[in-house]
Amino acid sequence: MPSISIKGGSMPQSPIRKLVPFAEAAKKNGTKVFHLNIGQPDIKTPQVALDAVKNNTIEVLSYARSEGSEQYREKLANYYINNDIHVSANNIIATTGGSEALLFTIGSITDPGDEIIIPEPFYANYNGFSTASGVNVVPVISKIEDNFALPAIEDFEKLITPKTKAILICNPGNPTGYLYSEAEIEKLKQIVLKHDLFLIADEVYREFTYDGEKHNSVMALEGLEQHSIMIDSVSKRYSMCGARIGCIVSKNEEFIGTAIKFAQARLSPPTYALLASEAALDTPQSYFDEVIEEYQDRRNTLITELQKIEGVKVANPKGAFYCIAELPVENSEDFAQWILEKFNHNNETVMVAPAGGFYSTEGEGKNQVRIAYVLNKSDLKRCVEILQVALEKYNS
């Protein structure tokens, strides 16, 4: 029998999706499952984006340009300019989701055996993207006790080697919801300039900031033009996860020219999804005002309720729509499977994402879970109630 590649065998399973069979089995047995495990918003997609797909005169669904249509990229550039990020259409490559943007980026700046430093916990698929490119993730640990703030710059310095090519951050963070301050972004700027590295910022949650806090983009920093790479997506901003349209943004012409070759190899992003994404840029600010207010209320509800459970420690997110909670269990993966497979409360249970998969350091996050507050406030209260009963029973 032919053998599978070492790289293929090393690809990590998604901690977000690996428990799906247990959730499906619970549903077949008549148990309602509340999904706190995945960042699929229940917010309605802007009607203007849906109408762009429904109401058009396309007769031949042809290829788009590999980097996305010029019209879309120009309109997207104007969106960024309105957010104090001064770029042009030529600085943008449209991709099939933020995931492809990260794959193209890693492929463009690294060779097998190179290293990327990432504060952990981090979006689990960064492990997969790095494995696919033969790149080593070098983690620098942030702590729940510090609300997952940026680790000390000295911690980064200790990890930099001749094979280090980039530092990668997610801002606001998935899975922590941490929002990097202007001072923290400035510290990262100084270290990448000192060591001649790229600074990659996954900014797909840029709109979702709370308590009056401001998002600070790496693309807005002067002097970092040849070092900064921004990853973005329509998935969360417009509740368009299924559109699979993301982008790479950088003023480094050599990098953009290289990434375009990766884009040409996959031909083009999906045409209908580009239409929807272009139309979504006309979404009024009132849409975001309402969505952000709703998510802030949900965050407040979730954190308040979680803090009532004895033995639970939770970080307070300032952005995105996730939080990391530390549970009074030894192994959150075993607990997450048990709560689906062997527990229900009045025929209801919850699905969470074990946080171990959001770390690359062995043993870290073993008693933590990521919770996505993408459900309404009433459902979130019910979820925490179920979680509390489950923990009492699990530990008895």
Side-chain angles (χ1 to χ4, degrees), residues 36 144 148 173-178 299 302-303 306 313-317 319-326 353 355 369-373:
L36 300 176
I144 193 169
F148 297 111
N174 174 8
T176 63
Y178 187 78
R299 179 206 61 176
L302 176 66
I303 300 302
L306 284 171
K313 184 188 296 183
V314 60
N316 189 28
F321 36 70
Y322 308 99
C323 73
I324 290 286
E326 197 167 277
V369 294
R370 185 194 75 169
I371 296 175
Y373 46 95

Side-chain angles (χ1 to χ4, degrees), residues 19 22 26 329 331-344 349-350 386-396:
L19 296 173
F22 299 101
V329 299
N331 190 312
S332 62
E333 189 165 327
D334 289 346
F335 173 73
Q337 181 175 328
W338 174 87
I339 201 174
L340 291 170
E341 193 177 24
K342 298 178 180 178
F343 171 85
N344 72 76
T349 193
V350 297
I386 294 168
L387 189 62
Q388 182 172 11
V389 174
L391 284 168
E392 289 170 357
K393 187 171 181 179
Y394 184 78
N395 288 322
S396 62

Side-chain angles (χ1 to χ4, degrees), residues 9-29:
S10 300
M11 281 292 287
Q13 272 191 303
S14 167
I16 305 166
R17 293 173 172 82
K18 67 193 296 185
L19 296 173
V20 167
F22 299 101
E24 294 304 312
K27 292 173 188 177
K28 287 178 182 177
N29 289 330

Side-chain angles (χ1 to χ4, degrees), residues 93-113:
I93 300 174
T95 58
T96 309
S99 297
E100 187 177 76
L102 280 159
L103 281 166
F104 288 177
T105 295
I106 293 172
S108 297
I109 67 171
T110 65
D111 291 309

